[in-house]
Amino acid sequence: MPGAPEAARKPTLKKAIGPKLLLFFVVGDILGTTIYALTGKVAGKVGGALWLPFLIAFVVAFLTAFSYLELVGKYPKAGGAPLYIHKAFGVNILTFLIAFAVMSSGITSASSAAEAFSGDYLEAIVGEDVSGWAWLVAIGFLALLSMINYRGVSESVRMNLVLTCVELAGLAIVIVFGAYALFTGTHSAEVDPDPGRLVRFDPDTSPLLAVTSATALAFFAMVGFEDSVNMAEETKNPTKTFPRALLLGMIITATVYLLIALVTSTLVPTDTLAASDGPLLLVVKAAAPWFPPVVFSLIALFAVTNTALINMMMASRLVYGMAQERIIPPPFGVVHPTRRTPWVAILFTSIVAVILVSSLEIADLGSTTSLLLLVVFAVVNVAVLVLRRDKVEHEHFRAPTWVPVLGALTCAFFASPLSGRPVTEYIVGGILLGVGLLFWAVNLLFRRRRATTFDPAKLGK
């Protein structure tokens, strides 16, 4: 077959991720920027009942996770949601927009982590003057991540392993010190712990709207399993590895989130939490005034670094997967012959991240990430039902039919204005998707022949 020898010599992604590394990948991605930097913003929306929106977000996420497990078992390729949606509907422009939405969610998540890195935690280490050059710190941070990502997936996931252990240690400090302070009364004299806050809601709105709007933001944490499926092509035996790693990882992270929420809301007043992008540092100061703030701030910086690294890996692999299927220009799928990483995709996603971190605030980035993910997850839950007609030869996980149905409905609700989302979030999301449409038009203009002869049946084959 003409061209076959050349295709055989083409560099492919390296299968370097086993079950343990994948588990740490999922845990490290979910336990990151949201819990370290955006917990206070969620509290500002819901009030003292901080635990409730996180609980609801995890329930909704579990429904969608089962759909992802069925799909990644059937189609273990890099590409994730866009690949599944293209197989289900075969509409090129829909595939492109979903791909761009997922990519944007990863980049906005990494950008929010970059802003968190240059915020209150860094200020606790180097002093208040950091606010004057926080923008430069955030860009330097993204540049460093791009170099790690370029170096190789083995190095990246092993760094993820180390960073995940560090961030788990930081969360253990919050939970253990916080619980000890609450039970023994050895907390700082500057705080007045109040368990009653756990059942109080934002008085400026109805309890239902407070919970739904906070849940819509709390869903920011759930980018983890979309990130992980985009690593399928670099995972050993993904059909068997993913179900256990993903579900176990979500159970671990849900438990940690709920414990952190209970301790945080009991110890620190809601308005104090809402004003900070370093809320867990406030908890440590309240629970253990003797503990060096610099040490915990360093741990927090490692945690947000972990989130950013994983999201930049996901975004670049998604771009690579789409380029391999000719949905975007093929140069984005070029793999470095020595490092065996998609270096063009890494460069592109890093540039977009720099633009975003230079333009938006951390809360806007988090809300935009959540909105984009919820829209994508709603469509994925529909796609899994459509793809039941597509049979594959190998065995794979199959979700009960009611799960994706309920998942689609709940995701659509939390993405809608009914959940209390402000109009500004839709404006930011619309701008990002508008940029995606512009890219689609450019791709169609310069590669019209490939766009019109694209065979959906070959996607992921």
Side-chain angles (χ1 to χ4, degrees), residues 5 11 20 24 33 40 106 110 131-133 140 191 198 200 228 234 236 242 253 378 391 399 413 415 422 455:
K20 292 181 180 178
F24 273 91
T33 302
S131 59
W133 40 281
V191 297
L198 297 176
R200 294 177 192 156
S228 65
E234 293 164 277
K236 302 171 185 176
F242 265 91
T253 52
K391 307 299 182 182
F413 170 77
D455 182 3

mmCIF file of all heavy atoms in Angstrom, residues 5 11 20 24 33 40 106 110 131-133 140 191 198 200 228 234 236 242 253 378 391 399 413 415 422 455:
data_model
loop_
_atom_site.group_PDB
_atom_site.id
_atom_site.type_symbol
_atom_site.label_atom_id
_atom_site.label_comp_id
_atom_site.label_asym_id
_atom_site.label_seq_id
_atom_site.Cartn_x
_atom_site.Cartn_y
_atom_site.Cartn_z
ATOM 1 N N PRO A 5 4.881 2.204 4.423
ATOM 2 C CA PRO A 5 6.155 2.205 5.146
ATOM 3 C C PRO A 5 6.408 3.523 5.851
ATOM 4 O O PRO A 5 6.895 3.554 6.978
ATOM 5 C CB PRO A 5 7.181 1.944 4.031
ATOM 6 C CG PRO A 5 6.399 1.250 2.953
ATOM 7 C CD PRO A 5 5.048 1.871 2.996
ATOM 8 N N PRO A 11 6.485 8.618 14.205
ATOM 9 C CA PRO A 11 6.518 8.477 15.658
ATOM 10 C C PRO A 11 5.109 8.428 16.247
ATOM 11 O O PRO A 11 4.202 9.107 15.789
ATOM 12 C CB PRO A 11 7.250 9.751 16.120
ATOM 13 C CG PRO A 11 7.982 10.242 14.926
ATOM 14 C CD PRO A 11 7.171 9.840 13.739
ATOM 15 N N LYS A 20 -1.312 2.645 38.529
ATOM 16 C CA LYS A 20 -0.996 3.528 39.656
ATOM 17 C C LYS A 20 -0.781 4.967 39.197
ATOM 18 O O LYS A 20 -1.271 5.908 39.824
ATOM 19 C CB LYS A 20 0.234 3.013 40.396
ATOM 20 C CG LYS A 20 0.008 1.692 41.122
ATOM 21 C CD LYS A 20 1.255 1.237 41.862
ATOM 22 C CE LYS A 20 1.004 -0.087 42.577
ATOM 23 N NZ LYS A 20 2.231 -0.569 43.278
ATOM 24 N N PHE A 24 -3.061 8.292 40.232
ATOM 25 C CA PHE A 24 -2.507 9.546 40.737
ATOM 26 C C PHE A 24 -2.809 10.700 39.788
ATOM 27 O O PHE A 24 -2.984 11.839 40.221
ATOM 28 C CB PHE A 24 -0.997 9.417 40.951
ATOM 29 C CG PHE A 24 -0.633 8.869 42.294
ATOM 30 C CD1 PHE A 24 -0.461 7.506 42.492
ATOM 31 C CD2 PHE A 24 -0.483 9.706 43.385
ATOM 32 C CE1 PHE A 24 -0.147 6.995 43.736
ATOM 33 C CE2 PHE A 24 -0.156 9.217 44.637
ATOM 34 C CZ PHE A 24 0.011 7.844 44.822
ATOM 35 N N THR A 33 -6.422 23.054 41.888
ATOM 36 C CA THR A 33 -6.737 24.474 41.984
ATOM 37 C C THR A 33 -8.075 24.732 42.662
ATOM 38 O O THR A 33 -8.210 25.671 43.453
ATOM 39 C CB THR A 33 -6.736 25.098 40.580
ATOM 40 O OG1 THR A 33 -5.452 24.898 39.979
ATOM 41 C CG2 THR A 33 -7.012 26.591 40.658
ATOM 42 N N GLY A 40 -13.050 29.208 48.497
ATOM 43 C CA GLY A 40 -13.624 30.437 49.035
ATOM 44 C C GLY A 40 -14.655 31.052 48.112
ATOM 45 O O GLY A 40 -15.673 31.595 48.575
ATOM 46 N N GLY A 106 -9.482 22.996 29.413
ATOM 47 C CA GLY A 106 -8.189 22.633 29.981
ATOM 48 C C GLY A 106 -7.266 23.823 30.115
ATOM 49 O O GLY A 106 -6.580 23.984 31.133
ATOM 50 N N ALA A 110 -5.856 25.584 33.502
ATOM 51 C CA ALA A 110 -4.427 25.810 33.735
ATOM 52 C C ALA A 110 -4.141 27.289 33.968
ATOM 53 O O ALA A 110 -3.289 27.647 34.798
ATOM 54 C CB ALA A 110 -3.618 25.301 32.537
ATOM 55 N N SER A 131 2.157 41.275 44.108
ATOM 56 C CA SER A 131 0.988 41.650 43.312
ATOM 57 C C SER A 131 1.356 42.540 42.134
ATOM 58 O O SER A 131 0.671 42.556 41.112
ATOM 59 C CB SER A 131 -0.046 42.361 44.197
ATOM 60 O OG SER A 131 0.518 43.522 44.788
ATOM 61 N N GLY A 132 2.450 43.256 42.244
ATOM 62 C CA GLY A 132 2.871 44.143 41.168
ATOM 63 C C GLY A 132 3.429 43.411 39.967
ATOM 64 O O GLY A 132 3.413 43.945 38.855
ATOM 65 N N TRP A 133 3.950 42.195 40.167
ATOM 66 C CA TRP A 133 4.502 41.438 39.037
ATOM 67 C C TRP A 133 3.896 40.034 38.957
ATOM 68 O O TRP A 133 4.502 39.091 38.439
ATOM 69 C CB TRP A 133 6.028 41.355 39.113
ATOM 70 C CG TRP A 133 6.596 41.133 40.492
ATOM 71 C CD1 TRP A 133 6.766 42.058 41.473
ATOM 72 C CD2 TRP A 133 7.088 39.901 41.032
ATOM 73 N NE1 TRP A 133 7.314 41.486 42.595
ATOM 74 C CE2 TRP A 133 7.540 40.166 42.353
ATOM 75 C CE3 TRP A 133 7.210 38.605 40.538
ATOM 76 C CZ2 TRP A 133 8.085 39.181 43.184
ATOM 77 C CZ3 TRP A 133 7.752 37.623 41.352
ATOM 78 C CH2 TRP A 133 8.182 37.905 42.649
ATOM 79 N N GLY A 140 5.600 33.118 33.373
ATOM 80 C CA GLY A 140 6.780 32.284 33.577
ATOM 81 C C GLY A 140 6.404 30.885 34.029
ATOM 82 O O GLY A 140 7.022 29.888 33.624
ATOM 83 N N VAL A 191 -10.481 33.448 65.620
ATOM 84 C CA VAL A 191 -11.634 32.842 64.958
ATOM 85 C C VAL A 191 -12.597 32.288 66.001
ATOM 86 O O VAL A 191 -12.217 31.974 67.125
ATOM 87 C CB VAL A 191 -11.203 31.713 63.990
ATOM 88 C CG1 VAL A 191 -10.342 32.257 62.879
ATOM 89 C CG2 VAL A 191 -10.481 30.600 64.739
ATOM 90 N N LEU A 198 -22.667 25.278 58.815
ATOM 91 C CA LEU A 198 -22.776 24.193 57.841
ATOM 92 C C LEU A 198 -24.185 24.052 57.268
ATOM 93 O O LEU A 198 -24.375 23.367 56.259
ATOM 94 C CB LEU A 198 -22.344 22.870 58.474
ATOM 95 C CG LEU A 198 -20.882 22.799 58.931
ATOM 96 C CD1 LEU A 198 -20.603 21.477 59.636
ATOM 97 C CD2 LEU A 198 -19.939 22.971 57.737
ATOM 98 N N ARG A 200 -26.176 26.937 56.893
ATOM 99 C CA ARG A 200 -26.600 28.289 56.536
ATOM 100 C C ARG A 200 -26.288 28.563 55.071
ATOM 101 O O ARG A 200 -25.256 28.144 54.546
ATOM 102 C CB ARG A 200 -25.894 29.328 57.410
ATOM 103 C CG ARG A 200 -26.287 29.264 58.881
ATOM 104 C CD ARG A 200 -25.496 30.257 59.692
ATOM 105 N NE ARG A 200 -25.656 30.002 61.130
ATOM 106 C CZ ARG A 200 -24.773 30.369 62.047
ATOM 107 N NH1 ARG A 200 -23.682 31.021 61.691
ATOM 108 N NH2 ARG A 200 -24.996 30.100 63.323
ATOM 109 N N SER A 228 -8.165 12.667 31.887
ATOM 110 C CA SER A 228 -7.595 11.321 31.903
ATOM 111 C C SER A 228 -7.901 10.544 30.632
ATOM 112 O O SER A 228 -7.046 9.805 30.142
ATOM 113 C CB SER A 228 -8.086 10.551 33.131
ATOM 114 O OG SER A 228 -9.478 10.325 33.073
ATOM 115 N N GLU A 234 -1.764 6.767 25.658
ATOM 116 C CA GLU A 234 -0.483 6.605 26.338
ATOM 117 C C GLU A 234 -0.614 5.744 27.600
ATOM 118 O O GLU A 234 0.290 5.677 28.416
ATOM 119 C CB GLU A 234 0.079 7.981 26.694
ATOM 120 C CG GLU A 234 0.472 8.785 25.451
ATOM 121 C CD GLU A 234 0.669 10.268 25.736
ATOM 122 O OE1 GLU A 234 -0.322 11.002 25.760
ATOM 123 O OE2 GLU A 234 1.835 10.680 25.920
ATOM 124 N N LYS A 236 -1.338 1.932 29.340
ATOM 125 C CA LYS A 236 -1.244 0.496 29.095
ATOM 126 C C LYS A 236 -2.595 -0.153 29.383
ATOM 127 O O LYS A 236 -3.149 0.018 30.456
ATOM 128 C CB LYS A 236 -0.168 -0.116 29.994
ATOM 129 C CG LYS A 236 1.220 0.501 29.824
ATOM 130 C CD LYS A 236 2.176 0.010 30.893
ATOM 131 C CE LYS A 236 3.534 0.719 30.785
ATOM 132 N NZ LYS A 236 4.457 0.327 31.886
ATOM 133 N N PHE A 242 -8.839 1.897 33.045
ATOM 134 C CA PHE A 242 -9.598 3.112 33.328
ATOM 135 C C PHE A 242 -10.718 2.961 34.355
ATOM 136 O O PHE A 242 -10.845 3.805 35.252
ATOM 137 C CB PHE A 242 -10.145 3.703 32.026
ATOM 138 C CG PHE A 242 -9.258 4.757 31.454
ATOM 139 C CD1 PHE A 242 -8.269 4.432 30.541
ATOM 140 C CD2 PHE A 242 -9.389 6.081 31.833
ATOM 141 C CE1 PHE A 242 -7.430 5.396 30.021
ATOM 142 C CE2 PHE A 242 -8.558 7.057 31.325
ATOM 143 C CZ PHE A 242 -7.572 6.719 30.419
ATOM 144 N N THR A 253 -11.224 11.495 45.995
ATOM 145 C CA THR A 253 -11.286 12.959 45.941
ATOM 146 C C THR A 253 -12.595 13.497 46.518
ATOM 147 O O THR A 253 -12.603 14.552 47.161
ATOM 148 C CB THR A 253 -11.110 13.452 44.494
ATOM 149 O OG1 THR A 253 -12.030 12.762 43.635
ATOM 150 C CG2 THR A 253 -9.703 13.190 44.004
ATOM 151 N N ALA A 378 -22.862 17.093 28.889
ATOM 152 C CA ALA A 378 -24.254 16.850 28.499
ATOM 153 C C ALA A 378 -24.312 16.167 27.134
ATOM 154 O O ALA A 378 -25.066 15.200 26.936
ATOM 155 C CB ALA A 378 -25.027 18.167 28.480
ATOM 156 N N LYS A 391 -21.247 -1.494 17.419
ATOM 157 C CA LYS A 391 -20.699 -2.629 18.154
ATOM 158 C C LYS A 391 -19.197 -2.770 17.884
ATOM 159 O O LYS A 391 -18.740 -2.540 16.767
ATOM 160 C CB LYS A 391 -21.414 -3.926 17.752
ATOM 161 C CG LYS A 391 -22.935 -3.853 17.872
ATOM 162 C CD LYS A 391 -23.376 -3.588 19.302
ATOM 163 C CE LYS A 391 -24.906 -3.558 19.406
ATOM 164 N NZ LYS A 391 -25.371 -3.251 20.789
ATOM 165 N N ALA A 399 -22.547 1.140 30.766
ATOM 166 C CA ALA A 399 -23.286 1.824 31.830
ATOM 167 C C ALA A 399 -24.776 1.521 31.728
ATOM 168 O O ALA A 399 -25.299 1.355 30.615
ATOM 169 C CB ALA A 399 -23.062 3.328 31.732
ATOM 170 N N PHE A 413 -28.806 21.201 33.059
ATOM 171 C CA PHE A 413 -29.390 22.137 34.023
ATOM 172 C C PHE A 413 -28.323 23.055 34.623
ATOM 173 O O PHE A 413 -28.499 24.274 34.675
ATOM 174 C CB PHE A 413 -30.098 21.377 35.146
ATOM 175 C CG PHE A 413 -30.514 22.258 36.295
ATOM 176 C CD1 PHE A 413 -31.624 23.076 36.188
ATOM 177 C CD2 PHE A 413 -29.760 22.296 37.460
ATOM 178 C CE1 PHE A 413 -31.997 23.910 37.231
ATOM 179 C CE2 PHE A 413 -30.131 23.127 38.512
ATOM 180 C CZ PHE A 413 -31.244 23.936 38.402
ATOM 181 N N ALA A 415 -25.541 23.883 33.432
ATOM 182 C CA ALA A 415 -24.940 24.753 32.411
ATOM 183 C C ALA A 415 -25.880 25.869 31.987
ATOM 184 O O ALA A 415 -25.463 26.819 31.331
ATOM 185 C CB ALA A 415 -24.535 23.927 31.190
ATOM 186 N N PRO A 422 -24.317 33.951 35.907
ATOM 187 C CA PRO A 422 -24.442 35.304 35.365
ATOM 188 C C PRO A 422 -24.208 35.329 33.859
ATOM 189 O O PRO A 422 -23.563 34.435 33.304
ATOM 190 C CB PRO A 422 -23.344 36.081 36.102
ATOM 191 C CG PRO A 422 -22.339 35.051 36.489
ATOM 192 C CD PRO A 422 -23.118 33.792 36.752
ATOM 193 N N ASP A 455 -13.911 11.171 6.413
ATOM 194 C CA ASP A 455 -14.730 9.995 6.671
ATOM 195 C C ASP A 455 -14.848 9.777 8.175
ATOM 196 O O ASP A 455 -13.899 9.361 8.825
ATOM 197 C CB ASP A 455 -14.072 8.773 6.010
ATOM 198 C CG ASP A 455 -14.917 7.521 6.197
ATOM 199 O OD1 ASP A 455 -16.016 7.633 6.776
ATOM 200 O OD2 ASP A 455 -14.476 6.443 5.769
#
